Amino acid sequence: MSVLGAQVSAEVSLVRRNGEQLLVTLGIPLLLLVFFGSVDILPSGDQSSIDFLVPGILSLAVMSTAMVSLGIGTGFERSYLVLKRLAATPLGTGRLVAAKTIAVVCVEAVQMVLIVAVGFALDWSPQSPNWLLGVLAVILGTFAFAGIGLLLAGTLRGEVNLAASNGLYLALLLSGGLLFPLDRLPGPLQGLGRALPANALSNVLRDALASAGDHTGSSWVVLCVWAVIAPACAARFFRWK
């Protein structure tokens, strides 16, 4: 087995063994979807509430799993010197970033199936969804957010990384158009939001699954740029201890 394959297997095993965290990771987006899908209080513009909500919850799940959960967990592994021994192996930071990201993709495959199933149960009925584009968007979003999370984890102390990850998550949640349309924000914040991976991911998912995206071409460009640059920066600046 290759070095990367061995590390991917190890990362997936660690995720599977941590049942409590896995349950929370899978459960919170589903609870949000059920709650907001039932009460119909979100400002969803011209779309039905559930059509707007499902792609947004998918984006939120990617962001929370790939950036927050992975970033915080890796940051404390680094603080506790768990990763120190890997520095002496042929793994290297590039393959560490890739292995952790691939493990997250495995978790998100389960998340996507569960969220879509619950969406259908809540009367979500997308018209001619492009599932292939949706899966591609989720994979690109995972690499983008995992890169951001691992960049923070590999450069900040564990406690600082914890605060920074949660603060960034809240900022992206409020400015990324996940739970309400981006045009509800002031003009300057709209421009900033369109340059962020959260809005890019939610926008391309809405277009792929509900044909309701806005500035879709530029959103794909933004998402691809983040998916390349963020992991590259994480691999370049990651410190083992």
Side-chain angles (χ1 to χ4, degrees):
M1 182 182 292
S2 68
V3 174
L4 176 61
Q7 188 62 31
V8 170
S9 178
E11 295 292 342
V12 172
S13 296
L14 287 173
V15 171
R16 189 174 62 249
R17 290 173 187 171
N18 197 344
E20 296 85 355
Q21 181 178 348
L22 184 60
L23 183 62
V24 170
T25 299
L26 296 174
I28 289 179
L30 295 176
L31 289 174
L32 290 173
L33 177 58
V34 171
F35 175 76
F36 287 113
S38 301
V39 298
D40 194 21
I41 60 174
L42 292 178
S44 54
D46 296 331
Q47 302 177 57
S48 69
S49 179
I50 193 66
D51 286 345
F52 181 87
L53 187 60
V54 171
I57 292 295
L58 283 170
S59 303
L60 183 147
V62 170
M63 185 169 68
S64 60
T65 304
M67 185 180 75
V68 181
S69 296
L70 175 63
I72 291 175
T74 304
F76 280 109
E77 286 178 354
R78 177 171 165 265
S79 294
Y80 297 149
L81 303 182
V82 174
L83 299 179
K84 183 179 179 181
R85 294 182 180 180
L86 291 178
T89 71
L91 180 64
T93 55
R95 280 180 285 212
L96 176 69
V97 169
K100 286 185 172 293
T101 303
I102 292 170
V104 169
V105 170
C106 295
V107 175
E108 289 175 351
V110 178
Q111 278 186 310
M112 191 170 184
V113 171
L114 293 175
I115 291 171
V116 168
V118 171
F120 282 133
L122 293 172
D123 295 327
W124 182 47
S125 54
Q127 302 297 317
S128 302
N130 190 327
W131 296 108
L132 183 60
L133 273 183
V135 170
L136 176 60
V138 167
I139 292 173
L140 289 173
T142 301
F143 273 84
F145 286 113
I148 294 171
L150 291 173
L151 177 61
L152 296 176
T155 55
L156 302 176
R157 290 189 297 109
E159 297 78 6
V160 177
N161 172 55
L162 174 64
S165 296
N166 284 314
L168 183 58
Y169 175 78
L170 181 59
L172 290 174
L173 181 64
L174 295 176
S175 62
L178 275 65
L179 298 179
F180 54 86
L182 199 63
D183 59 15
R184 299 298 180 98
L185 296 176
L189 289 181
Q190 290 183 35
L192 175 63
R194 290 195 175 91
L196 298 175
N199 177 71
L201 177 58
S202 62
N203 196 35
V204 297
L205 278 175
R206 287 193 179 99
D207 190 67
L209 302 182
S211 300
D214 182 34
H215 300 92
T216 309
S218 59
S219 293
W220 277 109
V221 172
V222 169
L223 189 59
C224 289
V225 169
W226 279 98
V228 172
I229 291 180
C233 289
R236 171 65 179 81
F237 297 107
F238 194 93
R239 299 194 301 268
W240 295 100
K241 61 179 181 177

